[in-house]
Amino acid sequence: MPILGRRLAAITAALAMSVTTGALVSPASAHSGSSDDNTKKMPTATGYGGAVSTVDVDASAAAIEVLRKGGNAVDAAVAAAATLGVTEPYSAGIGGGGYFVYYDAKSKKVHTIDGRETAPAAMPTDAFIKPGTAEAFAFKKQATSGISVGVPGTAATWERALKRWGSLSLADVLDPAIDVATDGFVVDETFRQQTLENKDRFLPFEATRELFLPGADNDAPAVGSTFKNKDLAQTYRLLAKEGMDAFYEDELADEIAKTVRNAPSSLDPMVPVPGPAGVMTTEDLDDYKVLDQKPTHVDYRGYDVYGMAPSSSGGTTVGEALNILETFGLPALKDDKAKVLHHYLEASALAFADRAKYLGDPAFVDVPVKQLLDPVFGKERACEIDPLHAAEKPVPAGDVADYNGACDVEPAALSDEKDSENINTTNLTVSDKWGNVVEYTLTIEQTGGSGIVVPGRGFILNNELTDFSPVYSETDPNRIQPGKRPRSSMSPTIVLKDDEPFLALGSPGGSTIITTVLQTLINRIDLGMSIEKALAAPRASQRNTANVTAEQAFIDAEYGQELASKYGHKFAAAGDPGTSAAEIGAATAIEFLNDNKVRAVAEPVRRGGGSAMVVKPSH
Ligand code: GLU
C-alpha cells in the first residue's frame, strides 16, 4: 500500500486547485480522508507486524511504509523522524538533537544513543547575560539567537542508529520524507498558528522569512494550501548520497557555522529579537559525537523501567520518583484516586529537587546516577511525604552522600528549579515484527527553534543551549561550559516485564515530559487504566514549584478538587486558556499484548490528535 496521509491530501488539493482557477475549494484536510487507514489520524491502532505512533499522519505512514518494505523498527523510526522534520519543522529536524532508546529483541537488552546538542568550544559562560549586568536577557531574545544554537546531533543519531541496528540504507529510509518534502503537505490550523506565533522571531532572518512567511506582507501559509520544502528535499538527497559526513564536514557544515555566526543579532536588551550572534565553527561540527549510553534502570513493582541517562534528566528523575512511590504500594490505594495522585505529585516534587541539585552533563560534572536511582535513597526520600498534606514547595534536595533509608535524616540545602524550558518537541514510538522497539524523542527546543533557517537548506537550527542555566554559578551542575550538553528532560522510556516489552512511551513538553511519562506509568500500572485512557487522562505536573501546573480538566475533576481542598495542593492552569499551551505534552506509546499483538496509542485530542498505525490491523 503506498504512503498516503497529508501528502495524498496535498496532491488532491493541488488537483482541486488546478481545475478551479486557483481558488481553494474544499481544502483537503490532514485529519480526514478516504477509507484508507493511512490517510486518517487515528489515536489507537491494534494489530500485528509492527506499529508506530507519532503526532503526524505522514510520519506514521512513512514508518509503516518502511516496515512493509521489510525494514525494522530502527529503519522505520528514522523514516518517521525525517518526515517529522518536513511536516513538524518547528518541533524537530536535522537542526536539532534528541535521545534514541532501543530494545533489541534478540539480546533482550535496552540500548540508548545520546544525540544531544553541544555548546561550541568558544561558548562564553555569560552568553545569555545582558552586557554590563548580572541579569539574563528575556527568554525570547535568548532563544532567537545564533548563540543559542547547539551543534546539532540528530543527523549523527540517525546514522549511528542505522549503523548499529538498522537493516536499510540511509537513502532508503529518507525516501518517504524526500517525497513529502517534494510533493508537499496540506497546511493545517496548527502549522499556520505556530508560524504566526513565531512571526516576529522569524522576520529578522531572511531565509526563514522566505521559507515560512512567503505570503504578501509576510503572511504564514494559508490553511489548506500545499507547503513544499524543496530545499529540505535536496538536503536529504545530499545526505542520502554522501552520508552524514556531508552534514558535519564539507560545504553544509561550513554554511551552518557561517549562518550561526553571521545571524542578525543585537545586544540591546530593548530590542526584543534577535539576541547575540553565535560562535559555532566548522571544527565544532566536525568534532560532534553522539554517545552510546547505558540506559537508566529501576525495578518498579516487577516492571523494569529503562530510560535515558544524563545528559538527560529524564531517566533519573522518572526512576527516582518511581523508587519513592514504590514505598507506598499505590495499587492498594487504587480506589482513592486523589490519594494516589497526591503521592505522585509529592514524589515528583522531591525528584525534581534532586534533579535541580545534581543533574548536568556527566562529561563535565559528577552526576550521582547510582545514588539517585538507589531504592534505599528513594525510600529515604519517601519519608518526606506526608500522606495527608502537600508539603510546602520548593522542597529541599536530598543528600546523596549520606542516606540509609531511615526516616530521620536532615535534608540538605534548599534547591529550587526555575523552569525556562519550552513546551515543544516531538516523540515517536515504533515496533517491528521481530519484537524490536524504538522510543525516540527529538527536538529543536522552542517551537520554531532559534528561528534561523540555514539558507537554501530548508531546516531550522535549534536553540537548545537555552536549556543551560542562563546565569553562571560554579555549584550549578547545569552551568554553561564549552563543549557541554545542556541538561534535558526528554524521557523516552521502555518498560519490560519478564524481559519482554510491556510498554514504550515518551512525550514532548520541556520539563513536563518527566511528569507526563511518570503520570502515564502510574495511570497504567497502579491505577490499572488501559493504555489509551492512561495517555488521554488529564495531566498535572509538580516540578517542585508552589503551584502544580495542571490541565483544566484535571483541576475540575473530582480528584482535582479533593487534591486542593483536602491535601492542600495549589493549582495553576497550564498555559494560556484557549491555546494549545493549555495542554501538557503530546505523548505516544505502544503496549505489547499477548501473542505478538500490539496496541499503538497517540493523543486523541492534544495537539490536534496524533496518529497510531499498525502493519496488520486486527481487533
Ligand atoms: N529542550 C527540552 C529538553 O531537552 C525539550 C523541549 C520541549 O520538549 O519542549 O528537555
Side-chain angles (χ1 to χ4, degrees):
M1 190 179 303
I3 176 174
L4 295 165
R6 272 213 268 195
R7 178 152 58 99
L8 174 78
I11 294 164
T12 318
L15 285 175
M17 284 181 79
S18 66
V19 296
T20 57
T21 61
L24 249 190
V25 286
S26 151
S29 159
H31 309 302
S32 62
S34 74
S35 56
D36 191 300
D37 276 346
N38 289 1
T39 67
K40 279 197 271 181
K41 265 194 168 178
M42 303 294 287
T44 306
T46 306
Y48 299 91
V52 58
S53 177
T54 78
V55 293
D56 177 69
V57 75
D58 279 313
S60 292
I64 292 290
E65 178 176 288
V66 166
L67 290 171
R68 285 196 175 130
K69 260 195 202 158
N72 65 24
V74 172
D75 303 318
V78 176
T83 307
L84 288 167
V86 181
T87 56
E88 298 274 320
Y90 306 144
S91 293
I94 50 175
Y99 296 93
F100 195 101
V101 179
Y102 171 64
Y103 169 80
D104 182 65
K106 241 195 212 145
S107 61
K108 297 188 186 290
K109 291 257 178 316
V110 178
H111 306 272
T112 80
I113 298 173
D114 174 332
R116 185 67 160 170
E117 299 91 331
T118 56
M123 185 76 178
T125 54
D126 61 352
F128 300 115
I129 302 296
K130 294 181 207 165
T133 76
E135 228 179 85
F137 286 114
F139 184 74
K140 190 169 181 177
K141 189 172 174 81
Q142 293 178 39
T144 314
S145 69
I147 199 70
S148 71
V149 182
V151 182
T154 291
T157 305
W158 297 352
E159 182 179 53
R160 182 71 187 143
L162 289 173
K163 183 161 176 226
R164 279 186 86 183
W165 312 300
S167 67
L168 300 180
S169 68
L170 179 62
D172 281 337
V173 301
L174 290 182
D175 213 31
I178 292 171
D179 284 350
V180 179
T182 308
D183 296 342
F185 62 87
V186 175
V187 171
D188 61 12
E189 193 53 54
T190 309
F191 186 81
R192 178 171 168 81
Q193 205 44 43
Q194 288 184 339
T195 314
L196 288 175
E197 280 164 15
N198 273 298
K199 188 166 175 174
D200 59 335
R201 300 204 316 119
F202 287 176
L203 278 175
F205 309 110
E206 191 183 341
T208 316
R209 236 172 26 230
E210 281 172 4
L211 182 60
F212 293 117
L213 296 164
D217 298 327
N218 297 121
D219 192 17
V223 174
S225 65
T226 300
F227 187 88
K228 298 180 183 175
N229 192 336
K230 297 226 153 119
D231 288 347
L232 184 56
Q234 210 42 43
T235 305
Y236 280 166
R237 274 188 207 108
L238 170 76
L239 301 178
K241 186 155 165 256
E242 310 275 333
M244 292 309 187
D245 281 355
F247 188 92
Y248 292 98
E249 300 165 14
D250 307 332
E251 220 172 299
L252 177 51
D254 201 37
E255 288 171 35
I256 293 170
K258 277 206 184 100
T259 304
V260 169
R261 283 206 312 275
N262 301 335
S265 62
S266 164
L267 290 176
D268 182 349
M270 300 309 282
V271 176
V273 291
V279 291
M280 193 183 293
T281 63
T282 46
E283 286 78 47
D284 291 319
L285 282 143
D286 201 9
D287 287 348
Y288 182 83
K289 285 199 175 40
V290 290
L291 303 171
D292 295 340
Q293 292 268 56
K294 260 177 70 181
T296 58
H297 169 254
V298 295
D299 173 345
Y300 182 61
R301 306 201 314 102
Y303 294 89
D304 288 296
V305 181
Y306 290 93
M308 202 58 228
S311 56
S312 181
S313 61
T316 53
T317 313
V318 170
E320 181 189 343
L322 289 173
N323 281 339
I324 295 171
L325 290 170
E326 172 109 29
T327 322
F328 296 101
L330 296 187
L333 311 173
K334 183 165 151 199
D335 294 332
D336 189 345
K337 210 165 174 184
K339 180 154 264 180
V340 170
L341 291 168
H342 166 68
H343 284 83
Y344 151 65
L345 295 172
E346 294 297 273
S348 173
L350 290 164
F352 265 85
D354 296 331
R355 170 185 179 272
K357 179 155 179 180
Y358 298 113
L359 258 292
D361 180 350
F364 288 77
V365 293
D366 262 338
V367 185
V369 173
K370 202 162 152 251
Q371 292 88 329
L372 290 169
L373 291 175
D374 183 348
V376 179
F377 182 66
K379 195 165 167 221
E380 184 162 310
R381 293 296 277 149
C383 301
E384 305 293 325
I385 296 184
D386 178 338
L388 300 175
H389 300 286
E392 189 157 335
K393 310 292 184 311
V395 293
D399 187 351
V400 293
D402 182 14
Y403 62 89
N404 59 13
C407 284
D408 57 2
V409 175
E410 279 299 305
L414 193 76
S415 155
D416 190 8
E417 158 78 347
K418 283 209 200 74
D419 190 3
S420 61
E421 287 168 30
N422 206 266
I423 53 156
N424 234 299
T425 290
T426 198
N427 185 79
L428 57 99
T429 315
V430 185
S431 67
D432 64 29
K433 64 179 172 195
W434 298 280
N436 303 303
V437 185
V438 172
E439 189 62 42
Y440 183 25
T441 316
L442 64 161
T443 187
I444 56 170
E445 210 312 274
Q446 166 100 347
T447 310
S450 63
I452 304 171
V453 166
V454 182
R457 302 298 192 167
F459 64 91
I460 307 179
L461 292 163
N462 68 84
N463 66 302
E464 214 70 55
L465 303 185
T466 59
D467 273 2
F468 282 120
S469 309
V471 178
Y472 188 87
S473 151
E474 279 293 337
T475 56
D476 178 356
N478 192 34
R479 63 189 178 276
I480 296 176
Q481 291 173 278
K484 191 178 181 182
R485 287 160 148 83
R487 178 179 63 210
S488 169
S489 301
M490 291 187 262
S491 311
T493 302
I494 294 182
V495 184
L496 308 185
K497 178 100 177 116
D498 304 325
D499 285 341
E500 298 293 335
F502 164 69
L503 182 63
L505 78 165
S507 177
S511 54
T512 68
I513 293 172
I514 292 168
T515 55
T516 292
V517 167
L518 182 61
Q519 190 181 350
T520 308
L521 288 172
I522 303 301
N523 285 346
R524 177 67 192 92
I525 294 177
D526 296 316
L527 289 172
M529 295 180 193
S530 66
I531 184 59
E532 48 274 44
K533 286 208 170 115
L535 193 134
R539 294 191 182 127
S541 180
Q542 171 47 279
R543 288 160 291 156
N544 202 19
T545 51
N547 292 322
V548 178
T549 306
E551 293 175 342
Q552 196 60 47
F554 188 101
I555 300 171
D556 294 342
E558 207 176 304
Y559 54 78
Q561 310 266 318
E562 198 179 330
L563 283 163
S565 61
K566 189 163 149 196
Y567 292 89
H569 289 278
K570 293 183 216 120
F571 288 106
D576 302 319
T579 72
S580 61
E583 300 167 348
I584 297 176
T588 69
I590 295 179
E591 181 162 327
F592 301 84
L593 311 170
N594 293 332
D595 303 326
N596 300 323
K597 195 173 182 179
V598 299
R599 179 165 298 140
V601 183
E603 296 284 355
V605 176
R606 294 181 185 97
R607 286 239 198 133
S611 167
M613 294 182 191
V614 289
V615 171
K616 285 188 212 129
S618 80
H619 292 287

